Amino acid sequence: MADGIAMNRDVKVAAQDVHRWLQDMGWNAPGVRSKYPSKYRFNPGTREQFKLIVGEYCRMEEEKDDRQYGSLSDGMARLEAGRRVEPRWAEAMKFVSNFLEMGEYASIAGSALLYDAVTSPEQRNGYLAQVEDEVRHTNQLGYLKKYFASQYHDPAGFTDARRHRYGNPLFMSNRQQACEAFVSGDPVQVSLNLQMVAEACFTNPLVVAMTQLAAANGDEITPTVFLSIQSDELRHMANGYHTMVSVVDDADNMQYLQTDLENAFWIQHKGFTPMVGRAFEYGAVNRGDPWAETWDRWVYEDWGGIWMGRFSRFGLESPRNLPDAKFEAYWGQHDAFAAMFALWPFIGCRIELPTPRDQDWFEKHYPGWGDSAGQVFQEWERQGVADPANRTMPVEWLTANKKHIAMCRVCQSTILKVTPGRPGTVATERNPTGCDLRITEYAGRRHAFCSHWCERMFLTEPERYTAQNFFEIFDGWELSEIVRATGGVRSDGQTLVAQPHLRSDRLWTLDDLAACRISIRNPLTAGVSFEKH
């Protein structure tokens, strides 16, 4: 046996050898079948027929989705399921469902781009099947939003998000993560972002783990749709796997692949991790495991360890930025919620500050939360920023305490630190919050970065990241002017879609917001993110 093991260590198996061996198992078995004999005779020349049945497959999926939507609009409507959802959770779903709809739509183009880029018939068939899946998922997310809009007591945010989400500063990182990364750049980079990271890694906590949390908060609709979507994801993960296998044999490809994987992971992490963690912990009334533990189990161990471990034999390793992402998965969602509450007029949904019960949960699972983020939230509560009668915005406290909000040029995420910093980081005059903020001057402009990983991407390919961010687009605009211009008001033309509380009274209007006399400023040129007149 010892000799046999020594002999096996000398065997060299290339990536395509494994693929050929797996193909031989299924498609080219020699001889007559004996284990499961049949009275029929099969034509040995039969080939994969997906291209021939693709039209029927599409109609079949359409029928399946019609039935799913029928159950939503009939059975669950009769049960008034939409009215039993915790309002805080339903509001969080306004952001999540709008992001997912956009991501699925971009995935249609990304899969079609990959179909066009390769020549292998079987590989093209895999991408073609994914194009159809993504069309289906886009329709399902539309159904989900329509159901909530007709059954939940406050439809604003489900009904008109496509119109005003471009003025949502928190949406920009998700737009960069999905709309940009799924449809632009090299086709292999698209596969890395879409299939290898977004689908093989982050759809598990987002789509699967969220179903349990949704049900715990009275939402029986989201699990019905999400589990149907996730049933297709295994096919997409396989597409990502065979994309990698199709390029790892070429030594010239390997000079790019590890870096492109790290960049893809970081961009997807910056979009998914804070958004999902924020929805799980600040959108839920009834919580399960802390987001940090969920992330550690699904992302760090399952994807970074087991899934990526399969590629180590081909010379592709887990991203080096995985440990940095793990740190951000502990505190990042709390900073993300602080940024969300500070920028509440633009976010397209209603949120509320943590209650005493919430605060106890956060301190129990994130020791130190009460002395950092918790203090900020309590100060906002004390100032009464949720009540329009007080004419006070959360950003005023941030400005007074030199906690400015910047936006990363590459991942477009907001940069605000109210939680403990990374060990070794020190607050300075230039960076008083002590976060990982970096500022670089290039081509006559100043650029902020959330981390050295984003700075590396910019310095490698600066022409790709020159678009204006939220603070540059609206530099000098008064807050109510932005909300009016981006369509963030309800049907009366005055009341804001977004609100900093869940009550039905004391709703903020454009006049209330204008009375605060606050304007947006570009922090890279003005030194502050907001200015009171």
Side-chain angles (χ1 to χ4, degrees):
M1 180 62 74
D3 291 343
I5 292 173
M7 185 182 299
N8 288 337
R9 285 174 179 166
D10 296 331
V11 174
K12 302 295 183 185
V13 181
Q16 291 302 334
D17 293 336
V18 175
H19 186 61
R20 277 191 286 273
W21 178 71
L22 290 172
Q23 277 193 310
D24 289 345
M25 288 179 63
W27 310 129
N28 299 311
V32 178
R33 297 180 57 166
S34 59
K35 189 173 182 180
Y36 303 105
S38 171
K39 63 184 179 182
Y40 296 97
R41 288 193 296 276
F42 298 102
N43 184 340
T46 303
R47 295 298 180 191
E48 199 273 331
Q49 300 291 301
F50 184 73
K51 281 187 289 189
L52 297 178
I53 66 168
V54 65
E56 292 301 319
Y57 177 78
C58 189
R59 282 189 284 274
M60 179 190 73
E61 293 289 81
E62 183 183 14
E63 173 64 21
K64 196 164 65 175
D65 293 345
D66 284 346
R67 293 181 183 182
Q68 181 186 65
Y69 183 56
S71 72
L72 291 181
S73 61
D74 184 17
M76 289 191 172
R78 293 187 188 197
L79 295 172
E80 296 188 333
R83 300 183 188 279
R84 296 204 299 269
V85 182
E86 288 284 353
R88 189 196 286 179
W89 179 259
E91 295 295 330
M93 285 303 299
K94 290 179 179 177
F95 194 102
V96 172
S97 62
N98 276 299
F99 155 71
L100 276 174
E101 180 195 49
M102 178 192 67
E104 299 289 4
Y105 188 77
S107 301
I108 300 171
S111 307
L113 181 153
L114 285 162
Y115 174 87
D116 185 68
V118 300
T119 56
S120 164
E122 290 189 15
Q123 202 169 5
R124 288 166 69 93
N125 282 352
Y127 298 143
L128 179 59
Q130 183 166 354
V131 170
E132 292 208 18
D133 288 341
E134 307 296 7
V135 171
R136 173 173 181 256
H137 297 172
T138 304
N139 287 333
Q140 286 179 289
L141 267 301
Y143 288 161
L144 181 66
K145 288 171 55 181
K146 184 177 180 181
Y147 178 85
F148 268 117
S150 63
Q151 300 297 319
Y152 177 58
H153 71 85
D154 186 3
F158 284 118
T159 53
D160 45 10
R162 291 174 189 165
R163 186 162 59 105
H164 64 74
R165 68 189 176 196
Y166 87 92
N168 183 343
L170 301 183
F171 210 76
M172 291 186 169
S173 65
N174 299 115
R175 185 183 65 184
Q176 179 75 356
Q177 162 214 345
C179 276
E180 296 293 328
F182 289 178
V183 301
S184 63
D186 188 280
V188 175
Q189 289 178 320
V190 169
S191 175
L192 286 166
N193 276 280
L194 172 60
Q195 298 161 338
M196 277 289 288
V197 183
E199 294 181 312
C201 177
F202 285 107
T203 58
N204 286 322
L206 173 60
V207 180
V208 180
M210 184 170 275
T211 59
Q212 181 182 10
L213 207 55
N217 287 275
D219 177 4
E220 300 172 56
I221 305 99
T222 298
T224 304
V225 176
F226 276 22
L227 290 177
S228 177
I229 290 175
Q230 189 65 12
S231 65
D232 296 327
E233 295 298 331
L234 179 61
R235 183 162 47 243
H236 308 172
M237 296 174 196
N239 282 344
Y241 185 88
H242 76 219
T243 304
M244 294 303 104
V245 168
S246 70
V247 299
V248 293
D249 271 348
D250 190 322
D252 288 341
N253 292 336
M254 295 305 290
Q255 65 181 312
Y256 313 115
L257 197 56
Q258 187 67 46
T259 299
D260 284 346
L261 172 66
E262 288 174 357
N263 292 345
F265 174 74
W266 193 253
I267 288 291
Q268 296 305 315
H269 150 69
K270 295 299 292 189
F272 273 114
T273 297
M275 177 194 68
V276 181
R278 187 178 62 212
F280 276 28
E281 297 191 338
Y282 290 89
V285 174
N286 303 306
R287 302 180 182 86
D289 294 333
W291 168 239
E293 290 182 14
T294 302
W295 194 97
D296 200 50
R297 186 166 57 249
W298 292 85
V299 178
Y300 194 80
E301 295 179 6
D302 289 357
W303 183 82
I306 299 173
W307 178 252
M308 286 309 305
R310 295 174 182 274
F311 294 92
S312 61
R313 74 186 71 175
F314 307 137
L316 188 63
E317 304 293 340
S318 289
R320 287 178 301 159
N321 40 27
L322 192 59
D324 286 348
K326 181 183 170 75
F327 178 83
E328 292 190 353
Y330 192 88
W331 290 117
Q333 68 275 24
H334 309 297
D335 292 319
F337 179 77
M340 187 179 211
F341 198 84
L343 297 166
W344 71 260
F346 314 113
I347 61 174
C349 61
R350 299 161 62 146
I351 54 177
E352 65 176 357
L353 289 168
T355 64
R357 176 174 175 263
D358 299 324
Q359 294 170 21
D360 291 341
W361 188 91
F362 282 122
E363 184 58 32
K364 176 182 177 182
H365 295 284
Y366 297 96
W369 180 91
D371 292 331
S372 54
Q375 283 193 351
V376 177
F377 301 149
Q378 288 177 4
E379 180 61 25
W380 283 338
E381 186 76 50
R382 190 188 66 77
Q383 292 184 354
V385 297
D387 190 339
N390 294 324
R391 301 287 195 263
T392 303
M393 294 294 295
V395 295
E396 296 177 52
W397 184 88
L398 291 180
T399 303
N401 288 274
K402 297 184 178 180
K403 291 184 177 294
H404 309 305
I405 302 178
M407 187 166 280
C408 179
R409 179 70 71 198
V410 173
C411 70
Q412 296 285 309
S413 58
T414 53
I415 306 171
L416 172 65
K417 194 68 176 167
V418 298
T419 57
R422 191 185 307 278
T425 54
V426 179
T428 65
E429 181 70 23
R430 192 177 184 186
N431 180 16
T433 57
C435 61
D436 295 334
L437 172 68
R438 290 161 175 257
I439 296 177
T440 298
E441 293 195 15
Y442 177 84
R445 296 172 66 194
R446 303 186 80 199
H447 309 273
F449 305 102
C450 67
S451 62
H452 71 276
W453 299 108
C454 278
E455 185 179 34
R456 184 183 74 169
M457 280 185 258
F458 178 83
L459 295 176
T460 305
E461 208 175 7
E463 66 279 2
R464 187 172 180 178
Y465 305 105
T466 55
Q468 288 183 306
N469 63 40
F470 176 83
F471 293 98
E472 291 167 329
I473 294 171
F474 296 110
D475 186 18
W477 286 50
E478 186 271 320
L479 300 187
S480 70
E481 293 175 345
I482 301 172
V483 174
R484 189 194 306 274
T486 56
V489 292
R490 295 164 187 258
S491 56
D492 63 4
Q494 273 292 320
T495 308
L496 274 57
V497 172
Q499 297 289 330
H501 59 75
L502 301 180
R503 296 192 306 268
S504 57
D505 62 341
R506 294 179 180 268
L507 299 180
W508 284 71
T509 65
L510 287 174
D511 291 341
D512 295 325
L513 198 56
C516 293
R517 298 180 290 109
I518 296 175
S519 298
I520 292 284
R521 296 307 316 273
N522 176 9
L524 297 177
T525 56
V528 294
S529 307
F530 307 93
E531 214 167 55
K532 192 174 180 78
H533 302 285

